[in-house]
Amino acid sequence: MNIAIYDLDKTLTRRPTFTRFLLYYARRTAPFRLALLPIWIMAMVGYKIRLYGRKPLKQFGVGIFMGREISPANLSKITASFADNEFNHGLQPGAIARLHADRARGALLVLATAAPEFYAQLIGNLADFHAVIATRHILTPDGALTHKIEGENCYAGEKLRRIEEWLSQQSIGRKDAHIIFYSDDISDSPTLNFADEGYAVNPSKKFAEAAAKANWGRLDFRHAEGISNTP
């Protein structure tokens, strides 16, 4: 069985999605929240200097720009609009070409991302992914989304754990699958090592050096040809 797994931010998409979605949502529901952008920038600096992890950072971001409980009606309408815009205007040319090629050879397409499931799922649906593995948020008993993440942020080792969980749920044995994984970030090293073929997408110098040592391929998704940078 052939499986092609794609990261979302800066792998499938040209730009990161999380902060852009938060601002997109705030602009359409409560524009006054945009005044909190400097606080969000300071919070990201705090993450960079390791005062706290990604999970509390992301929960804080959702809380200040979207609220601690989010109306399902507002969320549905705005996530649909954001996903449609991202699918039509935000995907990398090389990623689109690779998706067509992987689909043509009969691979199962999986989107595995730390982005929130509430919009990642819609982008995955539009791009015809067979499955989406993403960060989940806790729902209230009446179905409202909260700012709190369910379990762990789907990042680094947790992303690999969720992929392995998905394989088990689909009754796919690891030895029965040939897995290709595409990512733009060295944080995805656990899954790149797990895959039969790992590809560093548009890698930074540090990531390219790590890819060379780990024998991962290198791809440039900024071009429709998905040019290989592997020596």
Side-chain angles (χ1 to χ4, degrees), residues 213-225:
K213 289 180 181 178
N215 200 32
W216 303 325
R218 281 173 279 164
L219 295 170
D220 188 341
F221 274 3
R222 292 167 293 189
H223 304 275
E225 297 81 6

Side-chain angles (χ1 to χ4, degrees), residues 19-206:
T19 295
R20 287 195 296 114
F21 177 79
L22 295 181
L23 299 179
Y24 189 90
Y25 187 91
R27 193 175 295 116
R28 285 156 179 78
T29 58
F32 70 89
R33 293 181 184 269
L34 297 175
L36 300 172
L37 182 57
I39 296 174
W40 175 239
I41 292 171
M42 291 173 61
M44 290 191 287
V45 171
Y47 166 73
K48 287 290 186 182
I49 61 175
R50 300 184 180 182
L51 294 180
Y52 34 77
R54 281 180 175 251
K55 179 177 177 177
L57 174 68
K58 292 173 77 171
Q59 291 179 154
F60 177 72
V62 172
I64 64 170
F65 288 115
M66 299 177 67
R68 298 174 71 86
E69 289 190 13
I70 299 103
S71 159
N74 280 344
L75 185 66
S76 177
K77 181 178 179 180
I78 295 170
T79 52
S81 173
F82 180 82
D84 185 70
N85 187 64
E86 202 66 22
F87 174 71
N88 286 298
H89 307 290
L91 304 189
Q92 297 205 76
I96 295 171
R98 274 285 164 147
L99 279 171
H100 288 324
D102 285 330
R103 189 177 293 111
R105 67 185 180 85
L108 280 176
L109 302 178
V110 179
L111 186 61
T113 176
E117 186 179 65
F118 53 77
Y119 69 76
Q121 181 69 58
L122 299 181
I123 295 172
N125 291 348
L126 290 170
D128 288 331
F129 278 88
H130 296 93
V132 174
I133 297 168
T135 299
R136 303 183 182 116
H137 281 253
I138 295 171
L139 299 176
T140 66
D142 61 356
L145 189 88
T146 74
H147 72 297
K148 291 286 190 180
I149 288 173
E150 178 184 333
E152 297 301 323
N153 185 41
C154 188
Y155 179 78
E158 175 64 12
K159 182 182 288 188
L160 175 57
R161 189 197 71 78
R162 292 279 306 279
I163 289 169
E164 291 181 305
E165 179 181 68
W166 177 81
L167 288 169
S168 176
Q169 290 169 348
Q170 305 303 309
S171 300
I172 300 173
R174 179 64 186 88
K175 293 180 180 179
D176 300 322
H178 183 88
I179 296 175
I180 297 176
F181 179 58
Y182 307 94
S183 176
D184 75 294
D185 198 277
I186 198 168
S187 66
D188 275 326
S189 294
T191 306
L192 287 162
N193 286 325
F194 175 76
D196 296 287
E197 298 178 46
Y199 289 96
V201 174
N202 306 346
S204 63
K205 182 179 178 181
K206 180 180 178 182

